[in-house]
Amino acid sequence: MRDADTIRREMRRARRALDRDTVEKLSRSIVKNVEELPEYRQARTVMIYRAVQGEVSLELLRGKVFAYPLCTGAGEMCALLPEGEGAWKKGAFGIPEPVRELSREIAPEEIDLVLCPCTAFDAGCRRLGMGGGYYDRFLPRCTRAKFVAVAYEFQRAEVLEAQSWDVPMDAVVTEERVYRRKEI
């Protein structure tokens, strides 16, 4: 089995190699699949992210209150509701993030659905993030939320080894299908 760092490197390289038209086309299909999820339809407040380096773009999602992550320290983040386009700046790792003073903080327990980026996933809905643990630390605080990773089908790994701190996803949505976690 390949180690997590090797998988991360390979998948990030493949994602960055996508041209803009391909990202837009695949992202449209993924957004359509997300909008058909019961978890999305029933949600009022959804935490999403701004895409970078070929990640799935969620900009076409509509009809919900959208909160965004803000990295607040090593491995820590909060959820903010930006109050206008001027409420954005380039933050850590070059990721666009809301300006805290121009945003409203959303309590984690108010979030109904978290759409998570990932570098890889497997059919068991295990998610491999960027390696900083931000989402794995934040998600347990979202006590009423469902967790769904969004990714391209090529990001599916055969099997990812889960660590004790990894938060499993309820589902993973790609341009081709929706993977559901099997309850054991």
Side-chain angles (χ1 to χ4, degrees):
M1 182 184 306
R2 295 178 303 158
D3 68 277
D5 288 336
T6 300
I7 294 170
R8 258 190 208 99
R9 269 193 311 279
E10 291 172 0
M11 294 299 181
R12 287 177 69 192
R13 188 178 315 116
R15 205 175 56 200
R16 283 192 308 262
L18 296 174
D19 63 69
R20 195 167 83 187
D21 289 343
T22 301
V23 169
E24 288 175 9
K25 178 184 175 207
L26 296 176
S27 293
R28 273 194 305 276
S29 295
I30 292 166
V31 163
K32 181 178 178 287
N33 290 341
V34 166
E35 290 176 331
E36 293 174 359
L37 293 174
E39 294 92 336
Y40 186 79
R41 289 185 185 154
Q42 295 163 8
R44 182 179 176 280
T45 303
V46 179
M47 185 168 170
I48 61 175
Y49 60 90
R50 286 271 179 103
V52 295
Q53 300 179 353
E55 288 177 325
V56 174
S57 173
L58 300 175
E59 290 180 25
L60 294 176
L61 287 172
R62 298 286 179 262
K64 306 294 177 185
V65 173
F66 293 110
Y68 294 84
L70 172 69
C71 297
T72 57
E76 297 295 324
M77 67 184 194
C78 66
L80 296 177
L81 179 62
E83 312 260 319
E85 276 305 308
W88 290 91
K89 68 175 182 170
K90 194 159 279 211
F93 313 108
I95 299 170
E97 60 184 30
V99 175
R100 190 172 215 142
E101 299 76 30
L102 301 174
S103 303
R104 182 167 52 91
E105 188 162 351
I106 303 292
E109 57 273 8
E110 292 179 36
I111 299 170
D112 301 307
L113 174 64
V114 180
L115 296 176
C116 302
C118 68
T119 56
F121 71 95
D122 66 16
C125 294
R126 286 176 286 274
R127 168 190 169 272
L128 184 64
M130 296 294 283
Y134 289 89
Y135 279 88
D136 288 319
R137 286 182 186 90
F138 183 78
L139 294 178
R141 297 173 42 214
C142 301
T143 53
R144 73 176 203 200
K146 296 292 184 184
F147 309 134
V148 175
V150 291
Y152 306 112
E153 189 65 34
F154 72 77
Q155 291 177 269
R156 184 168 65 89
E158 194 62 39
V159 176
L160 293 175
E161 189 174 326
Q163 303 298 324
S164 61
W165 57 83
D166 290 336
V167 176
M169 299 290 101
D170 295 298
V172 177
V173 178
T174 73
E175 72 277 11
E176 292 182 14
R177 62 176 287 195
V178 175
Y179 295 84
R180 291 274 179 194
R181 182 166 50 111
K182 311 264 187 302
E183 297 295 334
I184 298 173

